[in-house]
Amino acid sequence: MAKAKSVLFPEIRGALKGLEFRMRYNGVLELGKKRIPTNPRSDLQMQIRKQYGRLVQEWNSLSPEEKEDYNRRASALRLSGWNLYVMENFVAPTISTAELGVLELGVSELGTG
């Protein structure tokens, strides 16, 4: 992956023939193979998506006064009302360590260790 700070192209982004230009948070310009995100559609991911969709529907059904109340309270936290609504109403699904793929202590993918 090529990295450079460029005076000529401080804001170049996009893709070209399977390569992708990216600007990192520290201002370094990267040129690398275009990344294609995976979509595993795991049970956990689908639970989270379903809950997020429910929150969107609930937020959209709130009255303007209720939304304004969230916006007012959220402004003190430098958030939007929507962000505060999600923070207060999102319930993280419970998962087991097996779903996370956590290895047992003392055992690595390469064998014992």
Side-chain angles (χ1 to χ4, degrees), residues 85-106:
Y85 182 79
V86 170
M87 287 173 61
E88 290 182 353
N89 294 287
F90 183 83
V91 179
T94 57
I95 56 175
S96 69
T97 55
E99 291 176 285
L100 292 174
V102 176
L103 299 174
E104 293 179 32
L105 292 176

Side-chain angles (χ1 to χ4, degrees), residues 1 3-4 7 11 16 25 30 32 34 38 45 67 69-70 73 84 88-89 93 113:
M1 168 147 350
K3 298 179 185 177
V7 176
E11 287 295 321
L16 176 67
Y25 68 92
E30 288 184 341
K34 185 171 179 166
T38 60
Q45 182 186 54
K67 287 182 181 180
D69 181 52
Y70 274 102
R73 293 183 355 199
L84 180 62
E88 290 182 353
N89 294 287

Side-chain angles (χ1 to χ4, degrees), residues 13 39 85:
R13 296 173 199 269
N39 188 5
Y85 182 79

Side-chain angles (χ1 to χ4, degrees), residues 14-78:
L16 176 67
K17 294 208 177 224
L19 297 175
E20 178 179 56
F21 293 97
R22 295 181 291 272
M23 184 66 70
R24 295 181 63 186
Y25 68 92
N26 60 0
V28 173
L29 179 64
E30 288 184 341
L31 173 62
K33 186 176 176 185
K34 185 171 179 166
R35 297 179 281 191
I36 300 172
T38 60
N39 188 5
R41 298 196 189 280
S42 68
D43 289 338
L44 176 62
Q45 182 186 54
M46 297 310 286
Q47 287 176 29
I48 291 172
R49 285 182 176 181
K50 185 176 180 180
Q51 188 170 164
Y52 186 82
R54 180 184 56 80
L55 290 173
V56 169
Q57 287 179 339
E58 289 174 3
W59 172 259
N60 288 333
S61 68
L62 292 178
S63 69
E65 293 80 21
E66 291 171 313
K67 287 182 181 180
E68 183 53 40
D69 181 52
Y70 274 102
N71 285 324
R72 183 185 46 74
R73 293 183 355 199
S75 66
L77 302 170
R78 298 180 61 137

